[in-house]
Amino acid sequence: MGYAHPDVLISTDEVADRLGNHENLHIIEVDEDTTAYDEGHLSGALSLHWQKDVQNPGSRDVVDQQTFEKLMGERGIDESSEVILYGGNNNWFAAYGFWFLRYYGHENVRLMDGGRKKWELEQRPLTTDKPAATPASYTAKPPNRAIRAFRDEVIEQVNKTPMVDVRSPEEFNGALAAPAHLPQEQAQRNGHIPGAVNIPWSRAANEDGTFRSADELRELYVGKGGIEADGPAIAYCRIGERSSFTWVVLHELLGIDRAKNYDGSWTEYGSLVGVPIERTPTA
Amino acid sequence: MRLHGRISRAGLPVEGAYVQLIGPSGDFTAEVRTDESGRFLFYPVAGSWEVRVSLPGGSHTERSVTLVDGQSIDVQLSVDEDEHGQPAPAPPESQTG
């Protein structure tokens, strides 16, 4: 059995073939390292800044519907545009962008499988030329809260809804506060949500950054992970990007329609007063 | 605590190599891209780690390292490819207190 929605992925080969024809095709880079785009990007690609564009710094929420419409319109994207997202870190932040577009109802969005890493290691060309977009008008749908878990729901669903902690085992067991490429000083406690199962996001990826096969993913999450194909599930990580990657796997590739991304993730849950956490001994 | 190092090929620094840090369980913990000097940096805890490197063009190399509490470790990985694209053995790492 293949992916539930195979069209959400596009290979680096296919993207390379289509670079010369940008008609109503919009390639957007979303990176954790927000300087990466300026140093070189795919020909014709625009960027989306995960902090400045996607998040409202005042509320630590994603931007509102009106701001989303402005973001899309400025990039020449309308409701029917095909949007291809890619980025570094195995598409963590591009997956966050994917989830963000779906949150406001954009259907025709895809991820370049393997992301920027695969593109670079294949020694494909990058450019520093920044294309000028022709502004478009965009009318978004209301936020799709069915794909997003909020704090109170997570607290209420502890030990009821399957929760997937997609961070590394070292973050899950409390030895590390953040991925090991980041400094470890953090405000929140270390540990995980009680009852959560640790399935690091990376187990869903091949060495080259592409997604594993549908059968492998199904065995990982539904077989060993205990998630029911027609049941609820909540994925979380530290700040919501790695869990977006896993949300894409659950919701789009495996067709688990009730899967949600908890974008508040551990930086929110681990900082709450009066909620339980768990730690497991370091191996 | 830091695990840092440099990737070179035929004596020259490699920018744009992808360096993965694999934890004791065998799971990916973090990944960084080397800078123009071929350098990378992680902030792990004490324990046994594997540094796994993918270079532009398809070469790979890896090294097991043990990090002790209070120490930083410097890992120099050099890839000298033969005509078959096989990496030559890399020199040992050094530790600093």
Side-chain angles (χ1 to χ4, degrees):
Chain A
M1 192 186 299
Y3 295 138
H5 305 288
D7 289 348
V8 302
L9 300 181
I10 182 168
S11 69
T12 52
D13 281 342
E14 193 178 344
V15 171
D17 287 344
R18 295 181 60 188
L19 282 184
N21 178 12
H22 287 149
E23 190 173 346
N24 214 23
L25 165 65
H26 301 269
I27 301 175
I28 307 285
E29 177 164 333
V30 196
D31 266 315
E32 178 183 32
D33 174 4
T34 53
T35 66
Y37 175 84
D38 289 337
E39 293 168 4
H41 48 263
L42 271 65
S43 174
L46 294 166
S47 71
L48 198 61
H49 194 295
W50 69 273
Q51 288 173 308
K52 293 179 181 173
D53 294 329
V54 177
Q55 297 184 348
N56 178 334
S59 63
R60 212 209 138 191
D61 198 352
V62 295
V63 296
D64 62 21
Q65 186 173 335
Q66 189 176 8
T67 307
F68 174 84
E69 291 170 344
K70 183 168 177 282
L71 278 176
M72 296 297 107
E74 287 172 347
R75 286 160 179 74
I77 298 169
D78 62 34
E79 300 86 335
S80 65
S81 298
E82 180 182 3
V83 178
I84 295 174
L85 300 171
Y86 76 96
N89 287 79
N90 272 85
N91 274 332
W92 291 355
F93 287 71
Y96 180 58
F98 183 103
W99 172 81
F100 174 60
L101 263 67
R102 280 291 165 83
Y103 187 60
Y104 282 115
H106 194 88
E107 290 296 326
N108 195 1
V109 55
R110 311 172 79 181
L111 279 178
M112 184 172 81
D113 202 10
R116 185 176 172 119
K117 170 183 168 178
K118 189 168 193 290
W119 185 272
E120 285 188 9
L121 292 178
E122 290 170 345
Q123 297 183 299
R124 298 183 187 271
L126 297 172
T127 179
T128 55
D129 295 340
K130 295 181 180 178
T134 303
S137 174
Y138 195 108
T139 303
K141 294 177 182 171
N144 178 9
R145 293 175 182 270
I147 63 171
R148 187 180 191 191
F150 290 88
R151 176 196 61 215
D152 291 347
E153 176 187 3
V154 170
I155 294 171
E156 205 274 324
Q157 291 301 317
V158 166
N159 285 317
K160 297 176 185 170
T161 287
M163 297 198 197
V164 186
D165 185 319
V166 316
R167 298 174 298 163
S168 66
E170 291 75 22
E171 293 169 86
F172 182 79
N173 66 31
L176 289 177
H181 68 287
L182 298 173
Q184 297 298 311
E185 295 81 8
Q186 307 286 333
Q188 78 279 359
R189 299 165 293 171
N190 290 8
H192 59 263
I193 297 174
V197 58
N198 183 213
I199 307 177
W201 69 271
S202 56
R203 291 185 192 168
N206 295 306
E207 191 73 26
D208 65 359
T210 56
F211 289 97
R212 291 192 182 277
S213 71
D215 288 342
E216 290 173 315
L217 296 175
R218 196 167 291 106
E219 172 63 17
L220 182 62
Y221 293 99
V222 180
K224 295 177 183 171
I227 296 172
E228 295 178 16
D230 57 354
I234 295 173
Y236 76 92
C237 57
R238 187 177 70 98
I239 57 173
E241 277 74 21
R242 285 176 289 180
S243 55
S244 295
F245 179 94
T246 298
W247 177 83
V248 168
V249 171
L250 297 175
H251 196 270
E252 302 295 319
L253 302 184
L254 295 180
I256 300 174
D257 293 338
R258 296 173 66 191
K260 294 183 177 183
N261 180 30
Y262 173 34
D263 57 311
S265 275
W266 190 251
T267 51
E268 178 174 78
Y269 189 94
S271 302
L272 293 171
V273 174
V275 301
I277 65 166
E278 280 182 353
R279 290 184 190 140
T280 48
T282 305
Chain B
M1 198 175 302
R2 296 181 175 206
L3 191 165
H4 53 87
R6 182 172 176 267
I7 309 298
S8 61
R9 176 157 46 191
L12 298 173
V14 178
E15 179 181 8
Y18 280 84
V19 185
Q20 285 187 358
L21 187 65
I22 308 297
S25 61
D27 277 303
F28 174 115
T29 299
E31 182 175 66
V32 292
R33 184 180 182 278
T34 52
D35 65 16
E36 65 276 10
S37 301
R39 302 205 67 86
F40 63 89
L41 170 64
F42 294 112
Y43 303 86
V45 291
S48 298
W49 300 88
E50 186 171 305
V51 176
R52 198 175 290 171
V53 185
S54 298
L55 290 88
S59 298
H60 299 272
T61 187
E62 58 190 47
R63 173 83 59 82
S64 296
V65 297
T66 300
L67 200 57
V68 179
D69 255 336
Q71 289 189 322
S72 290
I73 193 164
D74 182 28
V75 178
Q76 302 288 321
L77 280 165
S78 176
V79 176
D80 295 308
E81 296 171 286
D82 63 19
E83 66 273 23
H84 305 295
Q86 297 298 312
E93 72 273 7
S94 62
Q95 286 194 340
T96 56

